[in-house]
Amino acid sequence: MAAEEKPTQEWQADRYAHHAHFVPTLGQPVLELLKPRPGERILDLGCGDGVLTEKIAAAGVAVIGVDASPDMIAAAQRRGLAARVMNGAQLEFAGEFDAVFSNAALHWMKGDPDAVIAGVVRALKPGGRFVAEMGGHGCVAAIVVAMVATLERRGIGDAASAIPWYFPTVGDYRARLTRAGLVVDYIELIPRPTALPTDMAGWIEVFGQPLLKRLPATDRAAAIAEVVARLRPVLCDEQERWTGDYIRLRFAAHRPH
Ligand code: BEZ
């Protein structure tokens, strides 16, 4: 399959709010690392439906949210936020932000992480901060293995190439930030087993589309059931509570004066 034909992730704000409301809730420590100050101008990169963008705005900040998903941006605009559709690898800002913030979005910008970081650096004022959290090396490894095994059993030989996420190590991402001209003040990989509010089938339906779309539509429900069965002994307890094997990469960097 040619690169431009790769199945892509499609976001539906209502389904996301139902199965994945933990994502912004667990973003609180990143907000604390950002320390937004009244009067600042901040970009929320990959703002989704704007739950955290709204919290940044509540600190007295002029915040702009960008996201590649029109449905998510529509949801953010319904909250009254300044939000617009934009590709994270083609940011259209120059020297205007005191900080760029991002939660749980950078791992989706897999194609060209250096272009994403270069756009952030361009968007920052001298001295401006880049504070973010994304999936880190080993994130959702059990889920990835179960999904790839399920696709391969159905004859999809290159299933691993359809994994839509970029989960870097500390060394990889620190090197990219530094090469782009940023000073890294803090960077850490944080294992964070994450209670899922619904179940693994819901998680796969929301986050696993690029992998599922490699299968005929008529086989997807059976494939989800197979992934769930593979993961049950690892990620589900006896009370039917599911835990995602999340690992975060959290960092703070700044553009020198
Ligand atoms: C994450 O936020 O780390 C994540 C989200 C979706 C899929 C995988 C990881």
Side-chain angles (χ1 to χ4, degrees), residues 38-219:
E40 283 191 325
R41 186 170 164 79
I42 293 183
L43 175 67
D44 185 353
L45 170 55
C47 66
D49 59 6
V51 173
L52 284 177
T53 327
E54 203 167 40
K55 287 193 177 180
I56 296 170
V61 165
V63 60
I64 295 180
V66 295
D67 200 286
S69 159
D71 203 57
M72 289 301 216
I73 287 297
Q77 288 171 342
R78 284 196 293 276
R79 293 178 193 276
L81 294 165
R84 51 202 243 226
V85 177
M86 200 178 289
N87 181 333
Q90 292 165 12
L91 292 177
E92 297 162 17
F93 305 102
E96 58 189 277
F97 291 104
D98 297 290
V100 176
F101 169 85
S102 184
N103 181 57
L106 294 169
H107 50 262
W108 289 103
M109 304 173 202
K110 183 180 181 181
D112 192 348
D114 291 322
V116 176
I117 297 169
V120 168
V121 174
R122 273 197 312 277
L124 287 172
K125 298 176 185 171
R129 337 193 274 292
F130 182 23
V131 176
E133 185 172 299
M134 64 192 293
H137 187 65
C139 188
V140 296
I143 301 175
V144 167
V145 168
M147 291 196 77
V148 169
T150 299
L151 265 68
E152 284 181 346
R153 204 181 69 73
R154 289 165 153 74
I156 310 292
D158 63 343
S161 72
I163 297 168
W165 312 298
Y166 164 58
F167 294 139
T169 61
V170 164
D172 174 357
Y173 215 73
R174 182 199 293 278
R176 290 181 194 276
L177 293 168
T178 305
R179 271 201 309 271
L182 294 171
V183 176
V184 179
D185 301 304
Y186 157 79
I187 184 162
E188 187 179 16
L189 215 48
I190 305 169
R192 194 201 65 196
T194 301
L196 303 185
T198 55
D199 57 19
M200 186 50 64
W203 191 97
I204 294 165
E205 280 166 23
V206 171
F207 294 116
Q209 287 175 26
L211 283 152
L212 282 178
K213 283 182 185 167
R214 297 297 303 271
L215 297 170
T218 48
D219 192 27

Side-chain angles (χ1 to χ4, degrees), residues 52 54 95 172 176-177 185 220 231 234 237 243 248 250:
L52 284 177
E54 203 167 40
D172 174 357
R176 290 181 194 276
L177 293 168
D185 301 304
R220 289 180 199 158
L231 289 171
V234 189
D237 71 9
T243 301
R248 320 307 297 159
R250 190 180 296 165

Side-chain angles (χ1 to χ4, degrees), residues 1 32-33 57 185 207 223 226:
M1 187 177 286
E32 284 161 21
L33 190 61
D185 301 304
F207 294 116
E226 183 175 330

